[in-house]
Amino acid sequence: MKRKHDNKPLFKFKSLKSRMTTFNILVMFLITVALGVLSYSFFESSIYNYTNEILLNKAEDAANLADERIQRYILNIETVAKYQRIIDPNTEWDIKSKILKDEMERLDYIDMAIIDLNGNLVFADGTEVNVKDRDYFIKAKEGKSYLTDPFMSRSRATMQFAISTPIKNDEGKIIGVLVGFKDTGRLYEIVEDIQLGNTGYAFLINEKGDLLAHHDTEFINSGGFTLESIKQ
């Protein structure tokens, strides 16, 4: 005689109410887990976005501060270019030379010079050279104040950068160019005290992406810097 298998379910619910209660508990559990996962993802995303926003704001503040310092360089040279004895073509060179030397000391330039519209430059010490192909002359002759990238001086054989501005007469006509020169090491002073967090630092690049100032001078000289390298 064959024995009938016992096919009773492992769990037996006594009533519909019990089954509904268990079902509701499972649903609530699943909802709780889902909300927990979503909350964690949202929290993680919020922290990431908040951190990025803080860093972006700090970077913008640093860029604005650097720009203010560059504008101060330009404002200083523009002020000297408005001196009446610099503007007046009848002012003797000895007087103009004395003004340039005094301003070199006050503004901490290694050289200052006046350039005529043909590109003939005369330094404060009387040394003369033609710079008609230099960007600081070309830009200022066009009526724009200009801060250059670092370059090798042909007359001084040193690396420097220039800040130039047009000299205008009382009618607003450009009659020459005033230019001041600083050692390239002074470029980094624009950003050397700017920090981002505990380890971040600022550096200068031009509109082409070339590195102008960095706390590691060997890194600048290596030529290994690219915009892609800082995106990685």
Side-chain angles (χ1 to χ4, degrees):
M1 185 173 180
K2 290 185 181 180
R3 219 170 150 186
K4 292 184 179 180
H5 293 289
D6 190 355
N7 292 324
K8 292 181 179 179
L10 294 177
F11 301 99
K12 183 177 180 181
F13 297 104
K14 295 181 178 179
S15 66
L16 177 62
K17 183 177 180 181
S18 298
R19 290 197 297 271
M20 291 300 297
T21 300
T22 303
F23 177 76
N24 288 338
I25 291 173
L26 289 174
V27 170
M28 290 176 65
F29 174 76
L30 292 175
I31 290 175
T32 302
V33 171
L35 287 175
V37 172
L38 289 174
S39 296
Y40 176 79
S41 299
F42 177 77
F43 179 75
E44 184 180 35
S45 176
S46 297
I47 291 295
Y48 178 80
N49 292 334
Y50 178 70
T51 303
N52 279 348
E53 185 177 353
I54 289 177
L55 291 176
L56 180 60
N57 289 337
K58 284 184 176 291
E60 289 178 350
D61 290 342
N64 290 334
L65 179 57
D67 187 61
E68 287 177 9
R69 292 172 176 176
I70 290 172
Q71 291 304 316
R72 195 177 305 140
Y73 278 165
I74 292 174
L75 179 61
N76 286 338
I77 200 82
E78 288 177 343
T79 300
V80 179
K82 293 175 182 176
Y83 290 176
Q84 190 59 41
R85 287 178 295 177
I86 292 293
I87 296 171
D88 189 351
N90 297 318
T91 303
E92 295 180 1
W93 173 251
D94 288 346
I95 296 175
K96 291 188 177 184
S97 174
K98 175 68 165 54
I99 293 171
L100 294 181
K101 289 176 180 177
D102 289 345
E103 293 302 321
M104 282 169 56
E105 183 176 355
R106 182 177 74 88
L107 299 174
D108 199 22
Y109 286 110
I110 59 176
D111 264 321
M112 287 189 77
I114 294 175
I115 315 171
D116 67 20
L117 295 180
N118 294 316
N120 298 310
L121 177 150
V122 183
F123 287 105
D125 65 3
T127 303
E128 298 183 19
V129 63
N130 190 278
V131 294
K132 64 181 181 182
D133 61 328
R134 289 293 199 182
D135 55 353
Y136 57 80
F137 168 68
I138 295 170
K139 295 291 185 181
K141 185 180 176 182
E142 293 173 351
K144 305 171 185 175
S145 295
Y146 187 67
L147 186 145
T148 72
D149 292 351
F151 63 92
M152 176 64 70
S153 169
R154 290 193 289 253
S155 58
R156 307 302 194 195
T158 57
M159 287 296 294
Q160 52 192 227
F161 68 98
I163 307 99
S164 62
T165 193
I167 300 172
K168 299 178 181 180
N169 62 17
D170 295 337
E171 287 74 41
K173 181 180 178 181
I174 296 174
I175 58 174
V177 169
L178 179 67
V179 59
F181 300 92
K182 285 181 176 284
D183 183 87
T184 52
R186 303 304 298 273
L187 267 179
Y188 185 59
E189 292 180 2
I190 296 173
V191 295
E192 68 177 342
D193 61 343
I194 298 175
Q195 284 190 311
L196 300 174
N198 294 326
T199 59
Y201 56 87
F203 51 88
L204 286 179
I205 59 175
N206 62 16
E207 65 275 8
K208 299 176 183 177
D210 300 322
L211 186 62
L212 302 182
H214 192 278
H215 73 280
D216 185 351
T217 53
E218 291 185 3
F219 186 58
I220 299 176
N221 298 331
S222 71
F225 177 89
T226 63
L227 283 178
E228 291 302 319
S229 68
I230 63 174
K231 292 177 182 178
Q232 295 176 354

